Amino acid sequence: MSINYKELADKYQTPFYAYDFDHITQQYTELKEAFRARKSLLAYAVKANSNLSVVKHLAEQGAGADCVSIGEVKRALKVGIAPYKIIFSGVGKIDDEIRQALELDILMINVESEAELDRVEVIAKELGKEARISVRVNPNIDPKTHPYISTGLHENKFGVDIDTAKRMYIKCKNSENLDAIGIHCHIGSQLTELEPIKESINIVADLVRNLKAIKMEISFFDVGGGLGIVYDDETLIDTKEYGQVIMEALFGLDITVVCEPGRFLVGNSGTFITKVLYEKINGDKRFVIVDGAMNDLIRPSLYNAYHKIEVLEKSENASDCNLVGPVCESGDFFAKNIELPATEHNDLVAIYSAGAYCFTMASNYNTRGKVAEIAIENGKDRLIRKREIFEDLIALEEEYIK
Ligand code: LLP
């Protein structure tokens, strides 16, 4: 579907994010279909885009939620995701978060260390509960993605090795307050190769068989998230093949598949629209300065990530430039050394594949309000988050001025 960004810019001002909700539906349906042969739960990784309307839209398709803070758990509950579809992951859960997760009776807490398992046991005991948990296994597989978003190697902080995982399951078996219902692994994000996923899932499936041999039945096999999307010209993992690889690994096991996609569901649905303020030349270098900045969309600055960029309705006189924002950092850029047409004040620039890890990683640096978010569904647009104004930014400080 083609979206008229110019009309949206006139109506909502810039910068803003626009999300194509119909595309999100398509992505959800495609992945769910890949798991058709089994009971499955797609637990949307809320961190990718936690706007309540986005999460609600996925909830309406049947999605659960993979959360990494109690705040995310509350977002999921707020839009009607049932507790039994919510998973709480993360290497550093705070006691109070564990307590709340147990009280809220979510599906399972995904535990990432022995020390954390001890804490969960203590807290569950205090509450007189049996905590449903899964253990995150780190299979020591190189996912072949950017090092910052790679998580499945022992050098990364995530999960535990197989031997530790075994000890943790035995501990659960002997504990009145721990019920190990799941197993989990997630090796990284923006994955474009199936082989590392296959290897790690097979390692984890073997562990499930070993546990079965000692009469520990695991009901949920969580394959993590990580499916890549198109930013540039990537060849993506075929979701049917992905499903097949998982089904094969789980052959003979009576187990529900859980998958935690974030980027795959929302990444390509989003576009960031920003407006040209000025052009300038410093020495030989041409700069195009826009009203959006690294505080709105940090992926290029943080990971040197590539996002496809276009000046809307212009193609003439393209030349090399850096596309930068108003923030006072040399690292404030959307792209370096790209060819863009000659621009004028108020021309619109589209930055694509901006539905995941863009708004959610935004900050208020330089006292810049977070931008508006807009949903497009069935050809209609609607605001799903207001642009922040100055009063929002000072609201929690104002009363303390002496
Ligand atoms: N499950 C777990 C345990 C995760 O750590 C993550 C992402 C996901 C699921 C979802 O992964 P996805 O399907 O979205 O690839 N800020 C980075 C990405 C960080 C990913 C963190 N974990 C970026 O902008 O690329």
Side-chain angles (χ1 to χ4, degrees):
M1 184 190 54
S2 84
I3 296 174
N4 189 333
Y5 294 116
K6 172 85 177 68
E7 261 178 37
L8 294 179
D10 288 343
K11 186 164 168 187
Y12 299 103
Q13 278 69 60
T14 59
F16 62 85
Y17 283 97
Y19 308 118
D20 178 349
F21 274 27
D22 300 319
H23 186 262
I24 297 178
T25 309
Q26 277 168 27
Q27 295 294 99
Y28 179 87
T29 311
E30 179 185 328
L31 195 53
K32 186 74 185 167
E33 187 66 17
F35 294 125
R36 199 174 46 164
R38 288 235 172 207
K39 278 177 286 179
S40 69
L41 171 66
L42 294 195
Y44 168 55
V46 174
K47 64 173 93 74
N49 186 327
S50 49
N51 183 291
L52 289 175
S53 299
V54 171
V55 185
K56 180 160 187 275
H57 182 70
L58 280 158
E60 285 163 359
Q61 319 300 313
D66 168 49
C67 304
V68 288
S69 68
I70 205 69
E72 287 188 354
V73 171
K74 288 179 183 170
R75 278 185 184 265
L77 290 168
K78 173 113 191 145
V79 298
I81 297 187
Y84 65 82
K85 288 185 175 178
I86 298 178
I87 303 163
F88 184 17
S89 312
V91 287
K93 298 178 199 78
I94 301 160
D95 282 6
D96 190 49
E97 291 186 304
I98 297 172
R99 192 168 297 116
Q100 290 192 54
L102 292 174
E103 280 167 353
L104 291 167
D105 215 22
I106 62 167
L107 175 62
M108 57 191 171
I109 297 180
N110 178 20
V111 177
E112 302 216 19
S113 65
E114 288 185 284
E116 186 194 340
L117 190 61
D118 291 345
R119 285 310 302 158
V120 173
E121 187 183 32
V122 167
I123 295 167
K125 195 167 183 174
E126 278 166 17
L127 297 175
K129 290 207 166 221
E130 195 177 16
R132 288 182 298 274
I133 65 108
S134 61
V135 174
R136 176 164 178 182
V137 179
N138 181 325
N140 200 24
I141 297 286
D142 183 355
K144 307 207 167 68
T145 185
H146 190 292
Y148 277 20
I149 50 177
S150 147
T151 53
L153 283 167
H154 286 167
E155 67 194 53
N156 304 123
K157 68 179 174 181
F158 299 97
V160 296
D161 59 44
I162 294 278
D163 289 337
T164 310
K166 280 184 195 155
R167 277 200 305 278
M168 289 166 73
Y169 282 107
I170 305 289
K171 179 183 167 88
C172 292
K173 196 174 181 200
N174 297 323
S175 167
E176 283 179 7
N177 300 101
L178 296 171
D179 183 11
I181 63 165
I183 196 156
H184 174 253
C185 84
H186 168 85
I187 57 171
S189 200
Q190 184 54 17
L191 306 179
T192 51
E193 289 186 35
L194 192 51
E195 201 48 41
I197 300 181
K198 185 175 178 177
E199 272 180 65
S200 53
I201 287 175
N202 279 319
I203 291 172
V204 180
D206 279 350
L207 177 55
V208 173
R209 292 194 172 88
N210 289 341
L211 293 172
K212 201 175 157 84
I214 57 163
K215 302 236 165 331
M216 287 197 73
E217 289 292 340
I218 303 296
S219 313
F220 295 92
F221 192 100
D222 186 340
V223 297
L227 285 176
I229 60 164
V230 172
Y231 286 97
D232 189 3
D233 56 1
E234 297 85 346
T235 309
L236 302 183
I237 293 171
D238 180 86
T239 47
K240 279 204 191 76
E241 284 174 30
Y242 176 67
Q244 239 152 20
V245 157
I246 294 166
M247 299 313 146
E248 276 163 26
L250 299 184
F251 184 76
L253 292 170
D254 179 18
I255 205 162
T256 300
V257 178
V258 181
C259 181
E260 303 168 346
R263 192 187 318 260
F264 178 84
L265 295 180
V266 294
N268 281 140
S269 79
T271 306
F272 180 68
I273 299 291
T274 178
K275 194 171 72 180
V276 173
L277 299 174
Y278 317 106
E279 287 219 12
K280 71 188 239 180
I281 311 254
N282 274 359
D284 289 340
K285 189 74 210 177
R286 172 183 170 219
F287 291 90
V288 177
I289 305 163
V290 289
D291 61 356
M294 67 186 287
N295 74 296
D296 304 312
L297 197 170
I298 202 174
R299 300 190 75 256
S301 307
L302 192 59
Y303 312 117
N304 223 353
Y306 172 86
H307 286 257
K308 188 176 156 219
I309 293 174
E310 273 177 347
V311 178
L312 297 178
E313 294 170 7
K314 288 236 159 124
S315 53
E316 304 284 292
N317 299 325
S319 69
D320 179 79
C321 68
N322 286 5
L323 183 70
V324 302
V327 159
C328 300
E329 300 270 346
S330 296
D332 178 24
F333 63 88
F334 293 118
K336 285 187 168 169
N337 308 320
I338 54 160
E339 296 267 317
L340 287 182
T343 65
E344 287 165 283
H345 191 68
N346 288 344
D347 278 349
L348 294 178
V349 175
I351 303 185
Y352 297 105
S353 306
Y357 306 109
C358 290
F359 187 91
T360 45
M361 292 173 76
S363 78
N364 293 118
Y365 189 38
N366 282 199
T367 303
R368 290 169 52 87
K370 289 188 189 155
V371 306
E373 294 184 286
I374 295 154
I376 321 285
E377 192 173 7
N378 292 325
K380 292 208 175 67
D381 57 86
R382 65 177 199 271
L383 189 64
I384 56 171
R385 195 182 203 271
K386 268 195 238 171
R387 183 179 305 287
E388 288 178 357
I389 56 172
F390 176 67
E391 285 68 25
D392 297 323
L393 302 186
I394 61 166
L396 302 179
E397 300 159 35
E398 215 177 355
E399 65 180 290
Y400 302 108
I401 306 172
K402 277 200 187 150

